[in-house]
Amino acid sequence: YAKNLAEAELLAAMDHVHIHGRKLYLTVNTLLKNHEIDRLYDYLYPYYIRGLDGVIVQDIGVIGYLREYFPHLALHASTQMTIAGTDGAAFLKEQGITRIVPARELSLPEIRQMKEETGLEIECFVHGALCYCYSGQCLLSSMIGGRSGNRGRCAQPCRLPYELAGADGPAGQGYYLSLKDMCTIAFLPQLIEAGIDSFKIEGRMKKPEYAAGVTAIYRKYIDRCYAAPGAEYTVDQEDMERLRSLYIRSEIQEGYYHRHN
């Protein structure tokens, strides 16, 4: 349901970012059915010849298709591929993947091991909403609302209140499936030290002000980490309040980086 850019707008955006020495990646991370796959060539061709820097994919069949028809295009594995271990990452490396966005449920030691053993670029979520399923692979929206989260149409039923019924009858109402939002600004040095190459900020269906504002704050503290490695690291309270004001549902948490379930 996002208002996506038209082809001409996206081509102009590619020219703009390349003039300024930046890169532009395109999401192709949905599952494609037999009758849809052949439309992918015509869709990607204008961007490919214009110098698209890479695409993020979920469908293993799309990986093979892109390697055949767009051999010089960088391929990134979506978090919805649920790569939770080094073996999975190594397999995708053999298929031509250059960057992995692993499952959001991994701890820092697991991410560090994946980086050390494969040498792949690792991109991890650092800010935004979390899903109560493994990296968004949920059927709840499909089952009760007819809208598939795996086709980019999640109705987010996990954000609704539910009534918990016990053996002795109803036991109250609450938001039992709704996770707190992730915010990792407080421990960026640990993420950098773990070997993460790129920080991913969840921003789908968000306003430009959110994307720009959150990115600016994380950029500030990433630069601070590199400017004085090993120095005492703190986050200004004013910046924390700015992050909260840009868009956080309720409370915040650190994701799964410091736990190993």
Side-chain angles (χ1 to χ4, degrees):
Y1 296 108
K3 186 179 182 298
N4 289 314
L5 297 174
E7 181 181 300
E9 294 174 304
L10 195 51
L11 290 172
M14 289 172 58
D15 292 342
H16 179 78
V17 300
H18 287 158
I19 286 171
H20 293 278
R22 299 295 188 265
K23 294 182 178 181
L24 190 145
Y25 303 118
L26 189 65
T27 53
V28 190
N29 60 333
T30 192
L31 302 172
L32 294 186
K33 300 181 180 182
N34 286 337
H35 70 277
E36 296 169 329
I37 191 75
D38 288 335
R39 288 154 48 188
L40 190 54
Y41 183 87
D42 290 338
Y43 175 69
L44 277 180
Y45 181 75
Y47 309 127
Y48 180 72
I49 61 173
R50 195 70 152 252
L52 179 65
D53 296 291
V55 295
I56 187 168
V57 295
Q58 175 188 4
D59 191 318
I60 192 74
V62 169
I63 293 176
Y65 184 95
L66 296 181
R67 286 182 63 195
E68 179 178 355
Y69 291 103
F70 303 98
H72 302 295
L73 186 61
L75 304 180
H76 298 174
S78 169
T79 189
Q80 287 190 284
M81 294 197 80
T82 323
I83 301 304
T86 300
D87 288 344
F91 169 76
L92 289 179
K93 184 178 182 179
E94 294 174 358
Q95 308 310 308
I97 291 289
T98 59
R99 178 180 296 189
I100 297 284
V101 185
R104 302 182 215 192
E105 294 72 26
L106 298 187
S107 64
L108 280 177
E110 292 172 308
I111 292 169
R112 182 183 292 109
Q113 181 181 353
M114 186 182 295
K115 174 68 177 180
E116 291 175 350
E117 293 186 12
T118 68
L120 284 164
E121 293 181 8
I122 304 291
E123 178 174 324
C124 291
F125 281 89
V126 296
H127 192 90
L130 287 172
C131 180
Y132 81 101
C133 280
Y134 251 106
S135 290
Q137 298 204 43
C138 174
L139 295 176
L140 185 58
S141 181
S142 292
M143 297 302 293
I144 68 175
R147 289 169 49 181
S148 173
N150 294 295
R151 301 278 289 177
R153 303 173 67 236
C154 182
Q156 298 193 335
C158 57
R159 304 301 180 184
L160 300 175
Y162 288 88
E163 191 172 84
L164 181 63
D168 299 322
Q173 195 177 74
Y175 293 88
Y176 301 116
L177 303 180
S178 184
L179 276 68
K180 299 175 183 178
D181 283 1
M182 180 197 292
C183 179
T184 65
I185 194 80
F187 56 96
L188 286 185
Q190 296 177 44
L191 301 178
I192 294 172
E193 188 275 331
I196 298 172
D197 298 282
S198 178
F199 291 159
K200 193 173 186 69
I201 294 169
E202 182 254 352
R204 186 174 300 179
M205 304 295 286
K206 297 292 193 300
K207 295 180 179 179
E209 293 82 2
Y210 164 89
V214 173
T215 302
I217 293 174
Y218 274 83
R219 177 80 267 166
K220 171 182 176 180
Y221 286 93
I222 293 168
D223 291 344
R224 183 176 292 185
C225 290
Y226 281 108
E232 182 180 359
Y233 176 83
T234 58
V235 178
D236 300 337
Q237 188 60 35
E238 181 180 345
D239 287 329
M240 282 300 303
E241 292 304 318
R242 281 186 62 203
L243 275 179
R244 288 180 177 275
S245 68
L246 285 165
Y247 181 77
I248 289 179
R249 285 181 177 84
S250 55
E251 301 178 63
I252 60 173
Q253 49 110 335
E254 297 180 345
Y256 297 92
Y257 290 115
H258 292 128
R259 66 179 73 179
H260 183 84
N261 294 342

